[in-house]
Amino acid sequence: MTSSGRPPGPDGQGSGAPDPELHHVEHRLRHALHHEAQRVRPSERLDHILAAGRQASRPEDQSPGHRRWVTPLAAAAAVAAIAGVMWGSTQTGQDDRDPAAAPVATSAAPSPSAKGGPGATASSGPSSASGSTASSAGTSAPATRRVALPAYFVGPVSGDRPVFRLFREFLPATLPTAATDGQKAKAAVALAMDAQRFSNTDGYLQPWTGTTVGDVTVTPRLITVRLSGPGAPGITDKDVARVAVQSLVWTAQAAVGKGTIPVTFTVADGETMLFGLFPAAQHYNRPPSSRSYDDLAPIWVTFPGRDATLPKGKPVVVKGEATVFEATVSWQLLKGTSAVGKGVATASIGAPGRGTFSFGLGSLAPGDYTIRVFEVSAADGTTVNAEKRVSFSVR
């Protein structure tokens, strides 16, 4: 085959006539890629598509005229599926992949329950050992895998503004290897309802204290989350209650990873209102990307992750998202209480849009650091409109 993609002729330079069958395969490949690209959604569809390819390659289908294009078309579909996984963002434009995600290990150990509710599969404990683990009955337990699930929390925009919006964390969890969408959503929602671990460090509220998550059912048109109660009785501010409800909406949609499927709630004790303010049976959704500021905190730091350990000798690049005036964020690098670096960065778009930003810190000496990213009011130059701090280490 020459660089032009044509079969070589007698002179080896591609002067031979094109193979009609290859032309036919190329046409089918192009059609399949285009078709699958139009269907791309942020979900892990690779296994399903490969299974479809294997089904299409059954022995009874292997006539000479049939099997030559089945494998290329299955490969094309797989490429399109991988593109969908790599895209990973929802229809609102919000990317809910973990920027620091790494391959996960699988094991046959049963997944422990999380604090968020009885039977929840989320766990923040160490990964279980791989291999087959026999149960007391002598049978192998279901295989599990360690994952990082997105969870949204209600937190203060800054110390100078009594406004609460959503911050996203990626937290470790253990799920069955073949976890259903409902299992993923249940584990993530359980994590999002347990904000206590971050209350002292980040000031996250605990609107779901005393409430646990039951079953979560997912259909192409609706996610239904069953709660044990309507939320903490101390949440009386309507905007805080609204954002608390939205925290579970964003979390469930992100865990399922199939776009903005509406979310509704049922309450086990028969209560019909969440926090006494919002109908449980209502269909809730994320706002459009043009109004993401209604729910999301103005500044996120997406990398480094919370308490991440970065390798010494390598440049550190901070990344994040922001909805700020004139797309400008300021930053400080803290070591203890001392600032050891500072600067200004520009996001890809200014408010009311939500842009991305990045800036380099260079190679840092081993130690513990905190990156502070903030917006200063253009009105007085001193008031902090929004900020986010993330601690990390270099080792």
Side-chain angles (χ1 to χ4, degrees), residues 84-325:
V85 174
M86 292 178 66
W87 173 38
S89 60
T90 69
Q91 295 172 13
T92 64
Q94 183 62 47
D95 188 341
D96 281 307
R97 297 169 301 171
D98 182 358
V104 293
T106 62
S107 75
S111 57
S113 297
K115 293 181 181 179
T121 54
S123 170
S124 58
S127 176
S128 51
S130 59
S132 178
T133 301
S135 69
S136 58
T139 58
S140 295
T144 60
R145 60 173 178 164
R146 293 288 283 169
V147 297
L149 291 177
Y152 286 77
F153 295 91
V154 182
V157 166
S158 81
D160 296 337
R161 296 179 62 196
V163 176
F164 294 87
R165 290 293 182 266
L166 297 179
F167 292 87
R168 185 188 59 196
E169 305 279 349
F170 285 96
L171 302 176
T174 301
L175 289 174
T177 300
T180 64
D181 288 340
Q183 289 173 316
K184 295 175 189 175
K186 178 179 179 179
V189 168
L191 291 169
M193 295 172 72
D194 182 18
Q196 182 177 4
R197 71 189 87 177
F198 305 125
S199 293
N200 292 333
T201 56
D202 297 76
Y204 290 173
L205 301 184
Q206 301 180 53
W208 299 105
T209 297
T211 305
T212 57
V213 58
D215 290 335
V216 177
T217 58
V218 180
T219 72
R221 295 186 178 183
L222 190 65
I223 299 172
T224 303
V225 179
R226 184 169 179 79
L227 302 175
S228 67
I235 303 298
T236 58
D237 182 278
K238 189 171 184 178
D239 189 58
V240 171
R242 180 192 67 80
V243 177
V245 173
Q246 287 298 97
S247 73
L248 302 190
V249 173
W250 282 78
T251 297
Q253 291 176 335
V256 172
K258 294 180 178 178
T260 53
I261 302 175
V263 179
T264 191
F265 301 90
T266 62
V267 182
D269 64 4
E271 179 64 59
T272 60
M273 303 292 286
L274 301 176
F275 303 105
L277 296 168
F278 296 96
Q282 180 175 315
H283 289 190
Y284 296 89
N285 215 323
R286 303 182 179 193
S289 58
S290 60
R291 294 189 61 88
S292 63
Y293 56 83
D294 285 340
D295 288 359
L296 304 184
I299 296 176
W300 286 0
V301 174
T302 58
F303 188 88
R306 175 189 295 273
D307 300 325
T309 299
L310 306 181
K312 64 180 180 180
K314 291 188 176 181
V316 176
V317 178
V318 176
K319 299 179 181 180
E321 300 178 12
T323 303
V324 291
F325 180 68

